[in-house]
Amino acid sequence: MDLRNFTIDIDADGLALVTWDMPDRSMNVFTEEVLGEIERFVDAFASDEAVKGVVITSGKAGSFTGGADLKMLSAMFEAFQARKATDREGAVAELFARCGEMGRIWRKLETSGKPYVAAINGTCMGGGFELALACHGRIAAQSAKMGLPEVKVGIFPGAGGTQRVPRLADTQSALQMLLKGETLSAAKAKGMKLIDEVVPDEELVARAKDMLRAGLKPVKAWDEKGFKLPSGPVYSPAGAQVWPAVASLYRKETADNYPGARAIVKCVYEGLLLPIDAALRVEQRYFTEVLQTTEAAMMIRSLFVSMQALNKGARRPAGVPETRIAKIGVVGAGFMGAGIAFVAARAGISVALVDRDQAAADKGKAHSAGLLEALVKKGRAKADEGEATLALIHATPDYAALADADLVIEAVFEDREVKAEVTRRVAEVLKPEAIYASNTSTLPITGLAEAFPDPARFIGIHFFSPVDRMMLTEVILGQRTGDRALAVALDFVRAIKKTPIVVNDTRGFFANRCVLRYMTEAYDMLVEGVPPVMIENAAKFAGMPVGPLALNDETAVDLSQRIMRATIRDVGEGAIDPRHLALVNDMVDGEGRLGRKAGKGFYDYPAKPAKKHLWPGLKERFPQQKAEDVDFTELKQRFLVTMALEAARTVEEGVVTDPREADVGSILGFGYAPYTGGTISYIDGMGVKAFVALCERLAEKHGERFAPTPLLREMAERGESFYGRFAPAAAA
Ligand code: NAD
């Protein structure tokens, strides 16, 4: 057989070893060519007497497959859109057929009469795991990870995943895994019965062949008479235990915002009532439907296409050679600096971690020691690996340690004077080509750069807390920041595997401006007498991961107070609503409720295991509206609209220049309702015209802060979208 992406090696026992190893890629992915080749070998083996069984594995170390190739999905979308305009029925029929291709081939393999074993040597996601599930045996290396993450980009596993998983695992764990898009370790997958055996990495192929030699049946249990579902039939006493709880699990995970998740529940429920072939058709039908939803289109664009583009350096200036960053300096080993040192060392970069004295620097390094210890305990890092990482961090009060750094990141107190003094001291020792970055969260970069001799080498790299978990960094260009500084900053962000957005200098940059709107909208609701619990729930039902009051407690209420005071000082009294300031002053100065760090803020934080709960005193401050008088849908809209509107302002002001960055930045930076595709896709998704109408309605009721901006009005009039007007390339 002449295959480009697979090698086939048939041994003396007639056992075929198929190794997937795409010649031109670092990772195996599904393309039309790959699918075609799989079908060819399945057909060939089916009619070849000499072949007794087949092992499928991958030739890429540590990775079986990353899943579907983006281009395949995009091509499918494009074909659908192009045909839909003139021939809707035909377009849907074609989409249906194309959606079913992968599932059809997996089913063919499953019923081909030859036994197949998937030997999973590493990460095996999406369609690849569905291929494995179609095989008759599944064996995984100890280090392998697997899962069906499709729900996270707005779709769901549509090549048999929703049918084979709940025919192997019990219904509840199956649904849990599918709805969360959870990545499973080999051991956990075995616990769920999705994997038959877990073996040491080096024995994988030999043990897979042993499985075949032991007489693995080429027929699936569900293709035999008398097959019993792991949790029993849907309509049975056992089913009656499971299914009522599913509705609440589904609501809890999704707030009913995700068509992909809704389809998972329907597929599993309806599918388990049917024999496998009919069930697979049900799945295919829902998959075709979900692919046509706005949510799927927006999520695939932001969380898949745009995120990959940004990670690959979409905003990196062309023509600046890539820097391999060997060493960085971090000045200020506090909360943020310690986190930055950790993520850099994890990426194998040496770090000079500088603070005012040895003890403060050591404390910063101890943060990494703690995180590494936890990773080792969880089995996510080996002990010697942890030690090696820690050894990369050199904690010292001596600025001379920064002399050979390629990049220095300043994370000292948020104070112009302190920062200027540190900047001057670093500049004295820095090598001439090194780049200087500030992690400031509020101070304009252009002003900070004045303390540095060469502002072209000065840039902002704004991390989010906690640094080890938040995937976004905001890279901020000062007025005189040069291309090389940007390139080096982006090379660094890439090295530590975070996603960058690049924004222009302004008060609050991008993310904090939007987040501030989220919190102040909650202040407004409090003042109006909306019951606090409704405020928090409305935000969560709108798709936010954390309610605005809980978030405010995390970031600290006294920080809000400081930001308000600074804003009044810099911009004037009118910039802050006096009722908001009064509320915050009361919380901080009157009640000492500074937030989570103080054990009390908008919430009370009793000792564990008790859970936090909203502070009862909050209700006494403002006359409360009756719950039935509150328009809950409108509360949800207010949150999403106020943040989207702020994002639109940043685009209008030229702070954000590419809508992809506002979208990806809003989801990764503050968890903006992912099903919308992000702040700008929320607007484009409903259409600028509809958004403007919504803003006008809210403005009339709640005030000028909701008034649509001139740009929005103009775009509504002309029928434009943000992706159409600001990033024609990104929209494609
Ligand atoms: P922090 O108070 O925890 O840490 C500041 C550290 O800087 C302290 O360890 C202090 O000893 C050290 N320091 C002060 N003056 C110094 C000097 N002259 N030389 C060397 N070290 C000095 O503060 P943080 O929360 O880590 O914030 C640091 C910076 O990061 C601030 O600019 C802040 O705005 C920004 N930031 C904070 C967050 C956050 O969530 N906390 C998020 C993004 C950005």
Side-chain angles (χ1 to χ4, degrees):
M1 241 179 296
D2 180 24
L3 305 176
R4 237 172 61 83
N5 301 290
F6 299 86
T7 54
I8 297 180
D9 181 17
I10 304 181
D11 70 11
D13 297 336
L15 303 183
L17 175 64
V18 178
T19 307
W20 184 9
D21 194 351
M22 297 174 83
D24 38 7
R25 302 204 189 223
S26 59
M27 200 192 277
N28 293 325
V29 293
F30 290 105
T31 60
E32 294 202 17
E33 185 185 65
V34 165
L35 285 178
E37 292 189 354
I38 295 178
E39 183 162 25
R40 272 171 60 205
F41 71 69
V42 168
D43 284 340
F45 292 151
S47 59
D48 188 343
E49 278 293 309
V51 173
K52 305 297 178 207
V54 188
V55 173
I56 305 182
T57 193
S58 144
K60 310 283 187 206
S63 156
F64 189 90
T65 170
D69 180 19
L70 245 161
K71 287 200 196 98
M72 208 163 79
L73 254 172
S74 308
M76 221 152 84
F77 259 129
E78 271 162 35
F80 173 71
Q81 294 298 350
R83 194 164 166 187
K84 193 175 75 173
T86 52
D87 170 19
R88 189 172 172 95
E89 240 170 80
V92 173
E94 187 185 329
L95 186 67
F96 182 74
R98 292 183 77 159
C99 285
E101 257 315 87
M102 194 186 258
R104 181 185 64 76
I105 299 168
W106 294 176
R107 183 63 180 149
K108 190 182 220 182
L109 177 154
E110 189 173 53
T111 54
S112 69
K114 299 286 168 160
Y116 277 78
V117 175
I120 304 171
N121 61 312
T123 311
C124 178
M125 305 305 277
F129 193 47
E130 291 182 296
L131 164 64
L133 291 167
C135 290
H136 306 90
R138 278 164 302 283
I139 186 162
Q142 269 156 357
S143 63
K145 288 188 175 60
M146 55 216 77
L148 299 170
E150 286 84 346
V151 74
K152 291 186 186 164
V153 292
I155 51 178
F156 70 89
T162 68
Q163 298 311 313
R164 293 192 179 93
V165 169
R167 280 171 173 75
L168 290 164
D170 69 85
T171 307
Q172 201 163 351
S173 357
L175 278 167
Q176 189 109 13
M177 171 222 177
L178 292 165
L179 285 175
K180 285 190 175 160
E182 198 181 349
T183 302
L184 307 170
S185 66
K188 175 134 195 227
K190 179 161 189 281
M192 285 176 69
K193 301 202 165 64
L194 299 178
I195 291 290
D196 303 304
E197 277 181 52
V198 180
V199 301
D201 295 26
E202 59 285 359
E203 294 175 20
L204 186 66
V205 169
R207 298 279 291 271
K209 286 191 173 182
D210 288 346
M211 239 172 150
L212 289 171
R213 283 195 203 93
L216 183 68
K217 243 178 151 180
V219 182
K220 279 294 185 42
W222 45 82
D223 282 319
E224 293 193 293
K225 259 205 150 68
F227 170 65
K228 288 200 171 58
L229 290 166
S231 297
V234 173
Y235 290 108
S236 69
Q241 296 282 318
V242 174
W243 282 97
V246 170
S248 73
L249 170 74
Y250 163 71
R251 294 253 158 199
K252 184 162 162 266
E253 293 293 331
T254 68
D256 201 24
N257 285 322
Y258 295 82
R262 198 179 312 149
I264 287 175
V265 176
K266 289 181 177 177
C267 283
V268 174
Y269 178 77
E270 292 173 33
L272 291 185
L273 295 169
L274 296 166
I276 186 83
D277 282 305
L280 289 171
R281 273 198 304 280
V282 167
E283 179 190 71
Q284 188 187 348
R285 197 186 71 213
Y286 279 123
F287 192 71
T288 313
E289 252 178 54
V290 165
L291 262 192
Q292 297 174 61
T293 61
T294 305
E295 289 87 343
M298 297 300 161
M299 284 179 82
I300 290 175
R301 179 170 72 187
S302 291
L303 291 167
F304 212 32
V305 185
S306 302
M307 203 151 99
Q308 260 190 21
L310 297 181
N311 286 340
K312 282 192 183 150
R315 293 294 306 278
R316 197 180 180 285
V320 182
E322 198 176 317
T323 354
R324 209 193 66 76
I325 292 157
K327 177 172 175 179
I328 66 161
V330 177
V331 186
F335 184 58
M336 296 301 286
I340 297 166
F342 170 76
V343 294
R346 275 290 273 173
I349 299 170
S350 294
V351 182
L353 182 59
V354 175
D355 208 299
R356 287 177 292 189
D357 51 47
Q358 188 66 47
D362 286 341
K363 188 168 169 234
K365 181 171 173 175
H367 174 70
S368 288
L371 288 176
L372 287 164
E373 207 176 300
L375 284 179
V376 172
K377 238 184 221 157
K378 281 190 213 145
R380 306 236 308 265
K382 299 204 176 85
D384 54 344
E385 201 181 297
E387 277 161 35
T389 303
L390 201 57
L392 287 171
I393 304 176
H394 172 48
T396 173
D398 185 1
Y399 278 62
L402 304 169
D404 56 346
D406 304 302
L407 166 73
V408 169
I409 301 171
E410 167 275 305
V412 300
F413 300 141
E414 188 75 343
D415 179 303
R416 278 196 188 90
E417 287 311 308
V418 177
K419 285 197 192 292
E421 170 62 22
V422 167
T423 306
R424 281 190 285 272
R425 286 187 65 189
V426 175
E428 279 168 19
V429 296
L430 212 53
K431 61 182 182 185
E433 69 277 18
I435 301 302
Y436 187 97
S438 175
N439 179 48
T440 178
S441 34
T442 53
L443 303 170
I445 293 300
T446 308
L448 294 180
E450 283 166 14
F452 195 72
D454 178 8
R457 281 159 47 220
F458 196 105
I459 195 163
I461 306 183
H462 179 215
F463 287 83
F464 293 79
S465 87
V467 179
D468 57 308
R469 292 221 305 272
M470 296 296 287
M471 293 317 294
L472 186 73
T473 55
E474 232 171 349
V475 173
I476 301 126
L477 300 173
Q479 265 163 27
R480 292 166 68 190
T481 301
D483 272 359
R484 211 182 75 79
L486 174 58
V488 170
L490 292 178
D491 290 343
F492 173 66
V493 171
R494 187 173 184 173
I496 58 172
K497 296 199 173 74
K498 302 224 182 268
T499 300
I501 61 170
V502 180
V503 305
N504 288 315
D505 208 6
T506 175
R507 169 175 289 276
F509 314 126
F510 169 71
N512 284 347
R513 274 179 66 165
C514 298
V515 171
L516 217 58
R517 291 280 172 179
Y518 181 47
M519 296 198 277
T520 52
E521 197 57 32
Y523 296 164
D524 275 308
M525 292 176 187
L526 280 176
V527 172
E528 290 163 25
V530 178
V533 66
M534 288 186 86
I535 299 175
E536 295 289 88
N537 282 342
K540 283 188 221 149
F541 275 78
M544 298 300 292
V546 183
L549 302 176
L551 181 66
N552 205 163
D553 273 359
E554 295 298 327
T555 57
V557 188
D558 58 318
L559 179 66
S560 303
Q561 187 189 39
R562 260 183 288 140
I563 292 175
M564 284 182 186
R565 285 183 177 162
T567 308
I568 291 173
R569 202 172 52 234
D570 295 355
V571 187
E573 287 279 346
I576 297 293
D577 186 326
R579 297 168 308 166
H580 296 179
L581 186 61
L583 168 65
V584 168
N585 283 343
D586 224 23
M587 293 285 289
V588 175
D589 306 328
E591 304 280 346
R593 305 194 73 92
L594 307 187
R596 177 169 205 127
K597 62 181 177 187
K600 53 183 189 171
F602 290 104
Y603 283 77
D604 278 323
Y605 298 86
K608 280 182 182 171
K611 284 196 177 146
K612 70 174 180 191
H613 55 82
L614 279 157
W615 173 45
L618 211 47
K619 281 198 292 202
E620 285 152 26
R621 289 208 121 51
F622 308 99
Q624 296 290 288
Q625 296 183 35
K626 284 209 202 86
E628 58 270 29
D629 294 339
V630 177
D631 184 343
F632 195 69
T633 303
E634 194 184 85
L635 295 184
K636 293 197 289 182
Q637 287 170 334
R638 284 169 66 179
F639 284 129
L640 296 185
V641 169
T642 192
M643 287 185 275
L645 201 47
E646 190 65 19
R649 289 188 194 105
T650 65
V651 174
E652 185 158 1
E653 291 163 20
V655 173
V656 171
T657 52
D658 182 334
R660 293 178 299 179
E661 296 182 294
D663 275 342
V664 173
S666 62
I667 297 177
L668 296 189
F670 46 98
Y672 188 85
Y675 64 91
T676 62
T679 41
I680 292 297
S681 283
Y682 173 68
I683 302 176
D684 273 4
M686 74 173 82
V688 175
K689 207 171 174 171
F691 182 73
V692 164
L694 179 56
C695 288
E696 280 169 346
R697 197 164 57 69
L698 291 174
E700 200 167 297
K701 230 173 129 181
H702 299 287
E704 275 305 289
R705 66 182 181 281
F706 282 110
T709 66
L711 173 72
L712 280 164
R713 284 188 200 284
E714 182 189 304
M715 287 174 64
E717 206 136 285
R718 293 190 190 169
E720 288 176 336
S721 70
F722 278 89
Y723 276 78
R725 176 163 173 156
F726 291 97

